[in-house]
Amino acid sequence: MVLTAAERAIWPVRDEECNRAGRARAMTVFTPVRGWARLPSHAGVEGKGVRVPGWPATEAVFLWVRANRTGLADIKKLSFIHFARWGIIRSIPDLGQGAEHLRRPLFMFESNYNGTFEQYIDAFSKVIGSGIQAFWFTSDGFPGPIPVQPFKEYIRANELVLDHYYCAYPVESATQVVAALELRSANQSLLAKAKDLDPEAFARALDTVLSPASPAAELRGQDPLRQAWNAARELFRAAKGPGRRSRNGRSYYFTSLAPVLPGHEAELKADLGALAAASPFAAVPEVHLARWLVIDDWPDAPGRRIKLRSSYLLCTAAVTAEEDTSSDDLLGSFLAKLLAADGAAAIKVWSHCRNFPGGTNIEAKVDYLTSSQLDTVLFYLGYDATPAEVDDAATHRDRLHSFARANGALDPAALQKAYLEASPW
């Protein structure tokens, strides 16, 4: 589907700079589910505040994906995706705005990736067309992944522009994060036995840690299309068990949709724009990446959108706990810290939402945001590490590389002595 000039005028203009934080780029795409994709297994689905007939076949695809997951081996070695999320919106949380009568469910895709939009779509379209086909075949107007230009037009037409985007480590790509985590782990193993090795064995072991032949470095040399293939194979794997829809390992993907008070849209956008210099998410150590955007209409068909009875504030955040805490504890802790952070900047943002609790009761505000969540059908993470662990790994990497450059000419015995003296890394 190539958009006509009239259709281009209807769909939102995509602003890549608004969707960027350092090397990280955000993609937020909503597409309407085709009428035939709602399986006729029952009369309808009753959600809180909205009724949408039928059950989308897209959800069946993700049920299969989650049920047949086998592991994270390929994607954990290398990927240009930090975190990604898929969801099917069949109901909008009713927080006092009244029911939104949507004619059809919406398919939501969200990604945090490195590289340009063109590179991202080119790689996935050329290498994993079948995977793209499986995810979007139920979306109205989906032209297929090949040829790539119509698919790019489709994604551009359905991608939303953010009002605020945050990344905890904007100078690090996902590939660099994974490589740094692996390097730190390998070097810590070496450090534990370094003093017991003879100098020649130590020198060989250190060379192995730093060698391009190591798993992370070996994959760093792959071209973007091969990287996309590695990522794609992992996207079709999901962990088994209940309660994993927004949880993966120690990580949680928070997705909130809260109704905006009538007439507050401009002031809300201004408040979000003012956060560009200092994001409240930066004060929450568990947050990797997060976004806010204001939505006032939805895709209803190719080239057509519907006006909602309320504008909505969408907030999403990928967070990782230091320990394997319960989802409720992780979510509650994250929200409480965010609401208390940076002079209550987040409270100021959400105060533009209908029925958001006033006063000083943080617990009531956490309950409100918890009830505003959208469901997740698949949550992918490129690495199950906290932002602090990512930062420590990057520092560890930089120190080790500096050490290697400064001491590479030493003989094995002197190198071993210098290495032990330089620790801890």
Side-chain angles (χ1 to χ4, degrees):
M1 180 196 70
V2 178
L3 298 180
T4 66
E7 288 170 340
R8 289 176 187 274
I10 294 174
W11 295 89
V13 176
R14 181 175 170 278
D15 188 335
E16 186 159 336
E17 290 307 307
C18 294
N19 294 345
R20 179 178 177 180
R23 291 187 175 183
R25 295 176 186 267
M27 179 176 288
T28 310
V29 178
F30 289 89
T31 53
V33 175
R34 301 177 194 266
W36 59 259
R38 298 178 215 132
L39 303 180
S41 57
H42 51 76
V45 176
E46 189 69 38
K48 184 178 180 182
V50 64
R51 179 181 174 85
V52 177
W55 189 63
T58 306
E59 185 155 317
V61 172
F62 286 100
L63 287 173
W64 182 88
V65 170
R66 290 198 306 273
N68 290 277
R69 185 169 189 154
T70 58
L72 291 169
D74 292 331
I75 197 65
K76 280 188 175 295
K77 291 178 181 177
L78 182 68
S79 171
F80 49 77
I81 303 173
H82 294 273
F83 300 90
R85 174 198 178 275
W86 290 258
I88 300 168
I89 304 175
R90 292 185 285 130
S91 64
I92 297 176
D94 186 354
L95 297 172
Q97 80 276 20
E100 294 281 5
H101 297 288
L102 304 181
R103 293 196 315 113
R104 60 180 79 194
L106 292 180
F107 176 49
M108 177 181 177
F109 171 66
E110 186 172 295
S111 181
N112 302 275
Y113 66 96
N114 304 125
T116 67
F117 173 88
E118 299 289 332
Q119 291 170 337
Y120 186 73
I121 300 300
D122 280 341
F124 272 78
S125 180
K126 292 176 182 177
V127 177
I128 59 162
S130 61
I132 293 174
Q133 188 75 35
F135 284 134
W136 269 284
F137 82 102
T138 59
S139 290
D140 203 357
F142 173 61
I146 300 294
V148 67
Q149 190 57 37
F151 181 56
K152 286 182 181 179
E153 293 279 2
Y154 184 73
I155 295 299
R156 285 183 184 277
N158 290 280
E159 185 177 11
L160 302 180
V161 175
L162 305 186
D163 293 295
H164 179 72
Y165 188 41
Y166 166 77
C167 178
Y169 31 88
V171 301
E172 301 287 341
S173 70
T175 300
Q176 290 174 321
V177 169
V178 172
L181 289 167
E182 291 183 348
L183 178 65
R184 183 185 64 168
S185 178
N187 191 49
Q188 287 173 336
S189 296
L190 173 60
L191 184 61
K193 61 183 180 182
K195 66 180 180 180
D196 298 322
L197 297 174
D198 64 70
E200 295 292 340
F202 166 78
R204 290 194 299 271
L206 180 60
D207 186 61
T208 298
V209 170
L210 296 169
S211 172
S214 66
E218 185 176 285
L219 286 168
R220 275 200 298 276
Q222 292 180 353
D223 61 73
L225 296 185
R226 173 54 58 182
Q227 296 176 26
W229 170 245
N230 287 338
R233 288 197 294 173
E234 179 54 33
L235 297 183
F236 281 91
R237 298 169 180 166
K240 297 179 181 180
R244 306 288 294 195
R245 296 167 74 87
S246 294
R247 186 73 185 258
N248 192 339
R250 294 183 295 162
S251 301
Y252 191 92
Y253 212 112
F254 173 70
T255 308
S256 162
L257 192 65
V260 178
L261 286 164
H264 280 240
E265 291 82 2
E267 187 178 353
L268 171 57
K269 282 181 169 287
D271 286 344
L272 290 172
L275 299 178
S279 174
F281 292 108
V284 185
E286 294 88 350
V287 177
H288 293 276
L289 300 109
R291 68 192 74 188
W292 265 312
L293 65 151
V294 180
I295 301 170
D296 60 8
D297 59 14
W298 298 87
D300 184 54
R304 186 172 73 243
R305 301 182 75 85
I306 58 171
K307 189 74 174 178
L308 299 171
R309 66 183 300 159
S310 172
S311 296
Y312 290 88
L313 176 63
L314 177 69
C315 176
T316 69
V319 301
T320 303
E322 292 185 5
E323 299 178 355
D324 193 10
T325 57
S326 71
S327 295
D328 289 343
D329 289 343
L330 172 56
L331 178 60
S333 174
F334 151 65
L335 290 174
K337 290 177 184 178
L338 177 61
L339 293 168
D342 200 20
I347 290 179
K348 183 179 181 182
V349 167
W350 270 304
S351 67
H352 294 290
C353 293
R354 190 186 294 268
N355 292 325
F356 183 73
T360 60
N361 189 337
I362 294 295
E363 185 176 348
K365 295 176 173 60
V366 169
D367 288 343
Y368 176 93
L369 295 174
T370 300
S371 66
S372 73
Q373 288 188 98
L374 296 177
D375 197 13
T376 296
V377 293
L378 183 63
F379 169 26
Y380 160 77
L381 67 157
Y383 38 89
D384 195 25
T386 67
E389 289 167 349
V390 170
D391 183 66
D392 180 69
T395 300
H396 191 117
R397 173 202 62 203
D398 294 343
R399 289 194 61 196
L400 186 59
H401 286 174
S402 295
F403 171 85
R405 287 193 295 270
N407 298 281
L410 296 178
D411 64 76
L415 180 65
Q416 184 178 29
K417 181 176 183 294
Y419 176 88
L420 292 170
E421 290 176 347
S423 65
W425 297 96

